[in-house]
Amino acid sequence: MAEKTYETPLCDELEKGPYPSFVTEIKKAAKKTSYAKGVLGLLELSYKEKIGHWKHGGIVGVMGYGGGVIGRYSDCPEKFPEVEHFHTMRINQPAGWFYTSEALRDLCDIWDEHGSGILNMHGSTGDIVFLGTKTAELEPTFADLVAKGWDLGGSGSDVRTPSCCCGMARCEWACYDTMQLCYDLTMHYQDELHRPAFPYKFKFKMAGCPNDCVASIARADLSIIGTWKDDIQMDEGAIAEYAKTLDIAADVISNCPTSCMEWDGKTLKIDNSNCSRCMHCINVMPKALKPGKERGAALLMGAKAPIVQGAQLSSMFVPFLEMKPPYEDLKDFIDAVFDVWGEEGKNRERVGEFIQRVGMGNFLEVIGLEPIPEMIAYPRDNPYIFFEADEEEEEE
């Protein structure tokens, strides 16, 4: 029986113009696989009718795992039988997204054999995304991946695949080894990663310095951002060289968010006690300034995109924590958060939303953290604050 072909005039419009087109790439895949032909046909129908034609038809996965596979079905399989099933598989990416050519070939060979051959490198969480396969191919795909040393990532109400910047592998500003921590957390929280048991998803993202190249502060439930405790390191000779070609007053001093820097034309002074570690001065004069020597990370929590409520950024919880294996203090903090949120969180409620609902003070008390000024987002609007007496004071 001859395979169907589909006319795609609306999709064809997306190939016009100077920019690369995903339609062109899917057409290339369609020369080798019927999946891609069905995708083009279904996409054309969606453009024509201005509605989506994918539906969630139930839970699918691999044996022993509750996450890693996102079920996807067409709502018109009689028209496009090639994509009656078009499941997505998330593959746990290596820390820092470092690959060998052999590893990439292995992934492509496995997906060409079992699926559509269409990949997304990478999803917003970081995973390698295999787009499109049938239910019967899930187990064989998983078996071949495991044989080559790969594992599935997170999906659903679980720990999502931890991700990090390249850290010390390529960046001179990294204040801790992001890749080592990413691997450690991935291995330590395997059960939470593969077997959903939370109210909703939980994302770890690790940034080696406050530049936050993985945008953790905007989208991670726990942002682990490299920082330092002591003074910014300065090279006065290099500063003098920059002064010959750079307007330090305009390009550095005037852009300092806390106005902690002074420049008299010859000498640069930094009030490190008021430095917010924004990295601007270091980014502008990298040969003259660099992070201090006492390095670690800050822990921030609560970022997310709009789901139940609007988007929000992470809030400071721990201004500084040493980041050295085996990371026991960090794991104790994470476990305390999991215990209270996992028990008391509502369905599809992210950690940030949970903290807003129960109140920062109540949340801190339960997880065992003392309030500190860095945790404040804005001044209080209630002038009446009542303090609870400690048990020791009551005894006295």
Side-chain angles (χ1 to χ4, degrees):
M1 181 179 176
E3 291 186 355
K4 288 186 177 182
T5 58
Y6 304 102
E7 297 297 323
T8 58
L10 296 176
C11 288
D12 296 344
E13 288 293 315
L14 298 178
E15 294 187 277
K16 299 177 181 179
Y19 304 108
S21 170
F22 73 93
V23 173
T24 301
E25 300 307 312
I26 295 177
K27 284 183 177 180
K28 290 179 183 177
K31 296 177 181 179
K32 299 188 297 182
T33 170
S34 61
Y35 285 102
K37 292 181 181 178
V39 168
L40 286 171
L42 191 65
L43 186 62
E44 181 72 19
L45 183 62
S46 292
Y47 287 160
K48 182 178 179 181
E49 297 183 350
K50 295 183 174 58
I51 59 173
H53 283 286
W54 297 111
K55 66 176 182 177
H56 181 72
I59 301 299
V60 290
V62 299
M63 189 68 69
Y65 282 30
V69 179
I70 298 94
R72 184 174 288 111
Y73 301 85
S74 166
D75 67 359
C76 44
E78 68 288 345
K79 294 181 179 178
F80 308 101
E82 305 91 345
V83 290
E84 179 181 1
H85 302 180
F86 201 73
H87 307 315
T88 290
M89 300 184 75
R90 290 180 177 164
I91 317 303
N92 195 328
Q93 80 282 358
W97 298 285
F98 284 94
Y99 298 91
T100 64
S101 298
E102 181 182 0
L104 291 172
R105 290 191 181 95
D106 286 341
L107 289 169
C108 291
D109 288 344
I110 290 170
W111 199 228
D112 280 342
E113 179 180 354
H114 298 291
S116 68
I118 302 172
L119 304 91
N120 177 5
M121 303 286 280
H122 299 82
S124 61
T125 299
D127 301 280
I128 307 155
V129 181
F130 282 1
L131 289 164
T133 193
K134 292 179 170 60
T135 303
E137 293 292 341
L138 294 175
E139 287 291 351
T141 305
F142 179 57
D144 286 354
L145 286 167
V146 171
K148 292 293 185 178
W150 297 95
D151 198 359
L152 297 187
S155 71
S157 299
D158 60 10
V159 167
R160 295 297 179 86
T161 314
S163 65
C164 66
C165 68
C166 61
M168 291 180 173
R170 294 187 63 186
C171 180
E172 61 184 315
W173 305 141
C175 295
Y176 72 97
D177 192 336
T178 57
M179 294 173 62
Q180 182 184 56
L181 177 61
C182 185
Y183 178 77
D184 189 287
L185 292 182
T186 301
M187 300 306 291
H188 184 79
Y189 289 105
Q190 283 290 292
D191 194 59
E192 291 81 359
L193 178 64
H194 292 308
R195 296 167 183 86
F198 291 152
Y200 202 24
K201 55 189 166 186
F202 190 97
K203 295 182 178 181
F204 296 114
K205 290 193 184 296
M206 286 138 272
C209 78
N211 279 324
D212 193 15
C213 292
V214 289
S216 67
I217 200 169
R219 58 201 182 115
D221 298 274
L222 177 58
S223 310
I224 306 172
I225 302 176
T227 188
W228 62 94
K229 286 182 71 174
D230 53 345
D231 295 349
I232 292 174
Q233 299 181 69
M234 301 172 59
D235 184 329
E236 294 184 1
I239 292 173
E241 287 298 314
Y242 275 112
K244 296 177 182 178
T245 58
L246 179 70
D247 187 341
I248 294 178
D251 297 332
V252 180
I253 306 302
S254 65
N255 289 317
C256 177
T258 60
S259 300
C260 72
M261 308 181 74
E262 295 180 5
W263 171 250
D264 62 7
K266 293 183 179 180
T267 305
L268 180 67
K269 295 181 180 179
I270 302 176
D271 177 7
N272 282 276
S273 64
N274 283 317
C275 175
S276 64
R277 313 296 195 266
C278 76
M279 291 292 289
H280 174 73
C281 61
I282 296 174
N283 292 334
V284 175
M285 300 192 296
K287 295 180 180 179
L289 305 174
K290 60 182 178 180
K293 296 180 180 180
E294 192 175 354
R295 302 181 180 187
L299 306 184
L300 297 89
M301 288 192 64
K304 66 176 187 66
I307 299 290
V308 177
Q309 301 175 20
Q312 63 189 52
L313 299 178
S314 291
S315 298
M316 177 67 72
F317 273 71
V318 181
F320 186 87
L321 188 67
E322 287 191 351
M323 283 294 136
K324 296 179 180 179
Y327 311 108
E328 291 300 333
D329 289 341
L330 173 62
K331 291 170 184 173
D332 288 344
F333 173 81
I334 294 169
D335 291 342
V337 172
F338 283 173
D339 285 345
V340 61
W341 172 63
E343 185 70 25
E344 304 294 340
K346 294 181 178 180
N347 185 41
R348 293 181 69 83
E349 183 177 55
R350 298 283 288 272
V351 163
E353 293 165 331
F354 174 71
I355 294 170
Q356 284 186 328
R357 177 167 64 85
V358 303
M360 177 70 86
N362 293 327
F363 184 75
L364 291 174
E365 183 178 353
V366 173
I367 66 173
L369 276 187
E370 290 291 329
I372 55 175
E374 288 86 346
M375 295 174 180
I376 296 172
Y378 49 84
R380 68 174 183 257
D381 52 15
N382 182 355
Y384 300 101
I385 305 297
F386 299 95
F387 295 93
E388 296 180 2
D390 293 335
E391 292 183 4
E392 295 181 0
E393 295 177 356
E394 291 176 353
E395 292 176 0
E396 292 177 358

